[in-house]
Amino acid sequence: DPALAEALLPQGRRLLGLSIIPLPGMQACLRHEAARVRAMLDEFRDHAIVPIASTVHRDLVVEDDISGIRDFLADFLPDAEVAAPVLLDPAHWRRAVTPRNLKGLIARCDTLISQRKHNAVHAIGAGVRVIGLHPLEDDSLRRTFVALSHRLAPGSRCLGLDSPPAD
C-alpha cells in the first residue's frame, strides 16, 4: 500500500530506509564496529532517512525500533535529514503504520539498512537493495539473505558485526 509513502515522502530525493533494533548485543556490536559501520554509511550521505519501525513495544525498550533508529541516527548520522520525522513518533506509528504501508514505505527507498528479517524480506520482495546488519554470533538474518539470494537487488549484502571482546 503506497498511500503512506506518497503522503509522507519527498519526490525526487534519494531515500535510505533505516530499521534498527535496540537490543543490547547489537548495540555493543555497533559501538565495537563503529568504524566499519561509518565506512558503510559513507555512500548514503546524500540520502534522506526514512525511519522503518516495524515493532514499537509499549513495555520493552529492547523491542522499540523507534528508539533504535533514534540512537543509530544520533551515533552515526547526526546531521542526516529525516524524510518523515513523524515516523519517529510512537503515537503516529500506532495510528498510521500497518504491515502493508510499511512495505510501501520500504518500496520507496533506494536502499534499506535493516536488522529486522521481515523488513529485509519486504525490501527483497519490492526489489529494493538491502544491507543487513547483524551480530556475527547470530546468523538468522544472513540465512534469510542466502535463502533469497536469487531475489536480491544488486548491491545487497549482509554486514556481520563482531562483538566486543569479553572482559
Side-chain angles (χ1 to χ4, degrees), residues 11-165:
Q11 295 292 326
R13 188 78 171 81
R14 296 195 52 92
L15 300 172
L16 174 65
L18 194 56
S19 172
I20 304 294
I21 308 168
L23 294 171
M26 189 61 200
Q27 297 303 311
C29 289
L30 287 169
R31 284 189 300 276
H32 182 67
E33 294 271 29
R36 285 183 65 215
V37 173
R38 284 189 179 90
M40 180 265 304
L41 291 169
D42 279 345
E43 78 173 276
F44 303 107
R45 295 292 175 196
D46 65 336
H47 289 58
I49 304 301
V50 179
I52 302 294
S54 57
T55 302
V56 180
H57 201 282
R58 292 183 190 273
D59 301 318
L60 296 174
V61 174
V62 298
E63 289 293 338
D64 179 5
D65 293 0
I66 290 175
S67 294
I69 294 165
R70 284 182 188 273
D71 291 346
F72 189 91
L73 288 170
D75 293 343
F76 294 100
L77 297 167
D79 299 323
E81 172 192 348
V82 177
V86 71
L87 292 172
L88 293 170
D89 175 5
H92 178 269
W93 183 90
R94 285 187 180 89
R95 281 191 313 273
V97 177
T98 66
R100 289 174 47 116
N101 60 32
L102 184 69
K103 185 176 180 181
L105 290 167
I106 293 169
R108 277 287 307 282
C109 295
D110 296 286
T111 301
L112 173 70
I113 295 175
S114 181
Q115 292 174 264
R116 290 242 182 240
K117 285 183 282 192
H118 52 276
N119 288 340
V121 170
H122 279 324
I124 294 166
V128 171
R129 177 185 179 207
V130 60
I131 299 172
L133 292 180
H134 68 96
L136 285 172
E137 65 189 29
D138 177 1
D139 70 346
S140 62
L141 184 61
R142 182 175 296 284
R143 285 184 282 125
T144 300
F145 274 65
V146 170
L148 296 172
S149 62
H150 63 290
R151 300 280 313 268
L152 293 175
S156 295
R157 66 185 188 280
C158 268
L159 180 61
L161 302 176
D162 205 2
S163 298

